[in-house]
Amino acid sequence: MDPLSTAFPAVGTSLLEDFSLEMTGKDVPKLDEAASLIPPGTRVNVTFLGNETLRMRLDAARAVKRLGFTPVPHISARRLGSRADFEQFLVGLRADGTGTDVFVVGGDPARPEGPYKDSLSLIESGLLQDHGVRHVGVSGYPEGHPAISQEALWSALRDKSAALAARGLDGGVITQFGFDADPVLAWIEKVRAHGITLPVRVGVPGPASVRRLMSYATRFGVGTSASIAKKYGLSITNLMGTAGPDRFLRVLAGGYHPARHGTVQIHFYTFGGLKATSEWIAQFRKDVLA
């Protein structure tokens, strides 16, 4: 039996009605193009890339709000050159009304460019709540991290959850994307076993070429064995073909149990573009909820 036929009536709202998307500061024209396909109020995360200026980041968050969505600006700890840089970004977000929700991450640089070594240091700085932030997203890694041990990852997630609670901040976890739903479900159970009750948004790649998906998987250390690729729907012999996350979502829906997994939602990484991802989601929602 197709797991969607029995599982989705119970979890359709959490998985499909409250998904989130991701974009870069350069994607504003693409967001404009896709806006009519995206439900009002959808959370749109705006990345914090090293080749983007403060103005680009602020403009992107402002565009998200202008189009009727909820901006979630990223803040990359190791890319911040100083406390003043951090405050300048937060002041700009607050002035634009786009800084209530943020996502904090350590960032790509191996060495901090300023005083913040990781996302926990941003939370512990006290600046987030001082500048009107109310909800803070943090990262989760169901398949581990190529440069961080499992022990360190679990310790960091527990510490961030506790730090948010201590400061009266709401929070949530967004996971790195993957191609196998089973280890994701198992990881979420472990999150709950660690006493972490934060909602989890499972990272899912939007439809994209197989070549691009494999490239991102290699870059981020995501497992892509031949068996996992086949399970997801990736054709190794046709790298120019396109793959979407429908199989992944079906398995996730079939294995999801609220009592064991708590609140679970979906976060789409738009590797194939905002419009392609939004069109895919709209059609998938139509097919599933018909």
Side-chain angles (χ1 to χ4, degrees):
M1 177 181 293
D2 184 342
L4 281 178
S5 63
T6 56
F8 255 106
V11 301
T13 298
S14 62
L15 285 180
L16 294 176
E17 296 300 322
D18 190 21
F19 63 86
S20 54
L21 298 165
E22 190 152 311
M23 63 176 281
T24 72
K26 297 177 182 178
D27 286 337
V28 172
K30 297 177 182 177
L31 183 64
D32 274 299
E33 185 181 10
S36 64
L37 299 164
I38 305 171
T42 295
R43 298 169 68 84
V44 179
N45 286 41
V46 182
T47 58
F48 193 104
L49 301 180
N51 60 355
E52 294 174 347
T53 65
L54 172 65
R55 177 47 53 192
M56 288 176 64
R57 295 168 187 144
L58 293 174
D59 285 348
R62 190 182 299 115
V64 172
K65 180 183 178 183
R66 170 177 58 81
L67 291 168
F69 310 125
T70 301
V72 185
H74 286 203
I75 306 174
S76 177
R78 288 189 288 275
R79 290 193 185 281
L80 293 169
S82 66
R83 178 185 174 95
D85 287 346
F86 188 14
E87 288 193 282
Q88 184 181 17
F89 189 40
L90 292 173
V91 167
L93 292 173
R94 187 170 195 175
D96 292 339
T98 57
T100 301
D101 298 63
V102 302
F103 178 83
V104 295
V105 63
D108 292 334
R111 294 184 178 180
E113 297 174 9
Y116 305 107
K117 64 178 182 178
D118 52 27
S119 54
L120 179 61
S121 64
L122 298 181
I123 298 170
E124 291 181 333
S125 72
L127 292 176
L128 295 173
Q129 63 268 37
D130 287 350
H131 288 82
V133 174
R134 295 293 174 263
H135 185 283
V136 180
V138 298
S139 299
Y141 300 92
E143 296 187 51
H145 189 288
I148 307 174
S149 70
Q150 284 287 354
E151 182 180 356
L153 288 173
W154 284 117
S155 176
L157 190 55
R158 289 193 302 268
D159 289 347
K160 285 182 282 191
S161 176
L164 291 173
R167 288 158 181 78
L169 292 167
D170 292 331
V173 180
I174 297 180
T175 75
Q176 179 60 277
F177 74 93
F179 298 123
D180 190 351
D182 290 330
V184 173
L185 289 165
W187 179 84
I188 296 173
E189 285 196 63
K190 291 182 181 178
V191 169
R192 304 312 179 204
H194 279 271
I196 300 168
T197 60
L198 297 173
V200 173
R201 288 186 178 270
V202 176
V204 176
S209 71
V210 175
R211 183 186 297 276
R212 176 168 288 187
L213 290 173
M214 296 294 285
S215 173
Y216 276 104
T218 300
R219 176 182 172 186
F220 293 111
V222 175
T224 52
S225 66
S227 60
I228 294 303
K230 182 178 180 180
K231 182 177 181 180
Y232 187 82
L234 300 175
S235 174
I236 306 302
T237 59
N238 181 17
L239 295 180
M240 299 307 295
T242 299
D246 50 314
R247 295 187 188 184
F248 181 98
L249 291 176
R250 289 172 187 271
V251 175
L252 186 72
Y256 171 75
H257 296 282
R260 297 208 308 263
H261 300 111
T263 301
V264 175
Q265 297 156 319
I266 300 298
H267 178 74
F268 287 94
Y269 292 97
T270 56
F271 299 145
L274 276 162
K275 185 175 181 181
T277 298
S278 300
E279 288 175 338
W280 188 95
I281 296 169
Q283 185 61 50
F284 189 70
R285 291 173 66 202
K286 181 179 178 181
D287 292 343
V288 170
L289 300 177

